[in-house]
Amino acid sequence: MTAEAWSEAPLSDTHGLPSWIFPPAEGFKAADLDHMPQLPAHTELIDGSLVFVSPQASFHTRAVDLLIAGLRRHLPRGLRARREMSVILGPRQRPEPDVCVIRAEADQAPEQTAYEASDVLLVIEVVSPDSEERDRKRKPQLYAEAGIAHFWRIENQAGRPTVYVYELDPATTAYALTGIHHDRLKLAVPFDVDIDLTEIDAL
């Protein structure tokens, strides 16, 4: 079924459920997400399968707020920080990182719903209990294979964010851990940034 066909698909005959409840044999495509009626907000596509997001905890929301504010204070001209925007990594891969840093020219229209991997410099995932496997394993693998140069993973350590910083090794097309940051995130790569992670207590 094409992306346009999803927008016109009737409800299924099974208790009035949307037709996308029953995936096509080949799985969904990245473009399908923009055309599927009644699709829950922030639905991701991983390996052709829909992934639904659970309600987020306070830590998750505050960690994202902290990172967005900190990044926007330090971003060089020509870069932008975005929250909860999906990234098209391939025909069957469209995850939604919690935060991403994109090239400014990647923002093409107010109605835009996704970015291409080639326009993304950094992706950040704040780990939640329901997404540990995806955030720690599968999504970093997909981001690396798509050539996104930088990945940060945020873990909840007694209510404070711990930031695991990774950089893409072009020889292996996999991420290498370059640092673990607890109270302060101070980096020179991919750009100068200095974020007081303890500020989450005031949010």
Side-chain angles (χ1 to χ4, degrees), residues 76-80 102-105:
R77 185 182 299 273
L79 296 178
R80 303 287 186 269
I102 60 166
R103 294 174 179 83
E105 58 268 24

Side-chain angles (χ1 to χ4, degrees), residues 12-131:
S12 75
D13 293 332
T14 307
H15 307 294
L17 296 173
S19 55
W20 47 258
I21 288 292
F22 307 98
E26 70 278 10
F28 295 106
K29 300 295 194 306
D32 293 335
L33 269 64
D34 290 324
H35 304 278
M36 299 164 79
Q38 303 177 33
L39 192 68
H42 307 297
T43 299
E44 300 182 283
L45 185 69
I46 306 291
D47 300 325
S49 296
L50 300 176
V51 176
F52 304 110
V53 179
S54 299
Q56 297 297 346
S58 172
F59 171 82
H60 187 281
T61 299
R62 290 181 294 123
V64 171
D65 287 344
L66 177 69
L67 291 163
I68 284 286
L71 287 169
R72 287 179 174 162
R73 285 196 302 268
H74 295 91
L75 281 180
R77 185 182 299 273
L79 296 178
R80 303 287 186 269
R82 295 290 181 262
R83 63 186 301 157
E84 298 171 337
M85 284 287 291
S86 61
V87 178
I88 298 172
L89 307 179
R92 301 171 70 244
Q93 312 290 356
R94 186 171 162 178
E96 184 180 290
D98 293 308
V99 177
C100 64
V101 172
I102 60 166
R103 294 174 179 83
E105 58 268 24
D107 257 333
Q108 299 177 352
E111 301 80 17
Q112 187 171 350
T113 59
Y115 302 115
E116 297 291 335
S118 57
D119 288 319
V120 180
L121 178 66
L122 164 69
V123 286
I124 305 173
E125 295 288 356
V126 179
V127 176
S128 296
D130 72 312
S131 65

